[in-house]
Amino acid sequence: MKMLSVQRREAIRAMLLEKESITISEVMEKFQISVETARRDFDALADEGFLNKVYGGATLKKRTSALPPKELLNSTFSEGKTRIARRAVRFMKAGDTIFLDNSNTVFHMCEGLLNMDITVLTNSLAVINYLSKSKTINLICVGGRYDANEESFLGPTASEYLRRFQVDRAFFSCKSFDMARGLGVSDERVADMKKTIIQCAEQTCLLADHSKFGKVSFAHFCDFEDVDNLFTDELVTDDWRDYLERHNVRLFECPESGEIQPEENYY
């Protein structure tokens, strides 16, 4: 069945998020369209500020503040996010107190946590709705002003409430991270929330797919000195492996294929 232009452009966005550059010939072959149609798609996405047109193709526009549509981010790399979340859940034990942020990757943990005897603190409406079905979880919701775009509670009231608590570990994600500039997001309110929970956590766990590596964002919220564990969906490069080792970050790779190392305890 022929794909509508709006669907095709969403698919092109997903390709660019993963690969950062694509050619017109790739798009023509993948979607069985003419060169004129491919160029019109590139023109439309360039007008949106999503890509830069280059000779023979396009590159992802390096924007530090704007985000692609949330629905697209949620659906992109979903299999990798699921592997990351399942790996993180396997370390949990009865009696743990944890924080879950409002990121899509962290939300994937909810299914595995549903029947655990733990305490969950969160500012995410999606996490609240999902875990409210549990008969075993002690669920604590961070109050404050609700942000519909982030689908979470943010701002000074939320951060101040969060400072009342101390959790065993915090699970969070980010928009991007870079060796020189650390971890970042697009919104300073989100950055403030993540800074606060890092201060309130005995141990910090970053859940991030491979698309987050080597990029920068508008609002910095921590450096790798503040990260204890990194879960990611692909094997990392030697440069990143050395960097993480130097900064005492424990790396948990969750590749699509290949053997996973024996599980270790966080402690």
Side-chain angles (χ1 to χ4, degrees):
M1 185 174 67
K2 189 174 181 180
M3 185 178 287
L4 297 174
S5 61
V6 64
Q7 297 171 318
R8 189 174 59 249
R9 288 167 189 171
E10 286 295 290
I12 292 172
R13 288 190 186 96
M15 290 173 66
L16 272 168
L17 282 173
E18 180 168 15
K19 301 174 65 176
E20 296 196 1
S21 66
I22 55 176
T23 64
I24 286 180
S25 59
E26 281 182 273
V27 173
M28 290 171 60
E29 181 178 355
K30 181 176 179 63
F31 302 108
Q32 294 298 295
I33 57 176
S34 67
V35 64
E36 293 80 9
T37 301
R39 284 173 176 161
R40 283 197 296 270
D41 287 342
F42 281 18
D43 287 341
L45 294 174
D47 289 342
E48 292 178 9
F50 192 83
L51 59 77
N52 291 316
K53 291 190 295 180
V54 297
Y55 182 76
T59 61
L60 182 67
K61 194 173 184 65
K62 301 292 187 179
R63 301 174 298 176
T64 59
S65 59
L67 277 172
K70 193 173 183 67
E71 295 80 7
L72 177 62
L73 289 176
N74 291 349
S75 62
T76 305
F77 316 126
S78 60
E79 291 183 4
K81 292 173 182 176
T82 299
R83 295 196 304 273
I84 292 169
R86 286 176 177 169
R87 187 85 188 274
V89 166
R90 295 217 298 258
F91 289 93
M92 301 296 298
K93 65 181 187 301
D96 279 349
T97 58
I98 64 172
F99 178 86
L100 302 180
D101 80 352
N102 65 305
S103 65
N104 182 252
T105 308
V106 169
F107 175 76
H108 278 67
M109 294 178 64
C110 289
E111 181 180 3
L113 298 173
L114 195 59
N115 297 314
M116 290 188 176
D117 182 15
I118 58 176
T119 294
V120 175
L121 181 65
T122 185
N123 69 321
S124 165
L125 183 61
V127 171
I128 292 167
N129 287 336
Y130 195 101
L131 294 185
S132 64
K133 300 178 289 186
S134 174
K135 292 182 168 48
T136 59
I137 289 177
N138 178 31
L139 183 61
I140 302 174
C141 309
V142 174
R145 185 180 294 275
Y146 178 71
D147 184 286
N149 290 327
E150 292 291 335
E151 298 179 2
S152 64
F153 297 91
L154 299 169
T157 302
S159 295
E160 184 59 35
Y161 182 79
L162 193 53
R163 291 188 182 95
R164 303 179 187 182
F165 298 94
Q166 182 72 25
V167 297
D168 294 322
R169 59 186 72 96
F171 296 90
F172 60 93
S173 191
C174 62
K175 183 188 172 188
S176 63
F177 51 83
D178 175 77
M179 291 184 187
R181 297 177 179 87
L183 285 68
V185 289
S186 298
D187 189 315
E188 63 268 31
R189 298 166 306 153
V190 178
D192 184 61
M193 174 60 70
K194 293 181 190 289
K195 285 179 185 176
T196 303
I197 190 53
I198 285 171
Q199 294 167 0
C200 298
E202 182 68 24
Q203 206 167 58
T204 56
C205 305
L206 171 63
L207 280 59
D209 66 67
H210 64 279
S211 70
K212 310 293 177 67
F213 283 72
K215 299 175 184 175
V216 296
S217 298
F218 175 67
H220 169 272
F221 67 90
C222 78
D223 296 311
F224 274 96
E225 286 79 2
D226 301 311
V227 177
D228 295 308
N229 306 293
L230 168 60
F231 297 81
T232 190
D233 61 334
E234 293 187 358
L235 300 178
V236 305
T237 64
D238 290 339
D239 286 347
W240 270 106
R241 195 178 304 278
D242 293 342
Y243 178 85
L244 295 169
E245 186 174 344
R246 289 199 309 272
H247 288 78
N248 298 314
V249 178
R250 297 178 66 188
L251 175 64
F252 299 94
E253 296 159 299
C254 312
E256 185 176 3
S257 59
E259 297 215 359
I260 293 177
Q261 295 297 317
E263 301 297 352
E264 301 176 58
N265 232 326
Y266 279 132
Y267 300 104

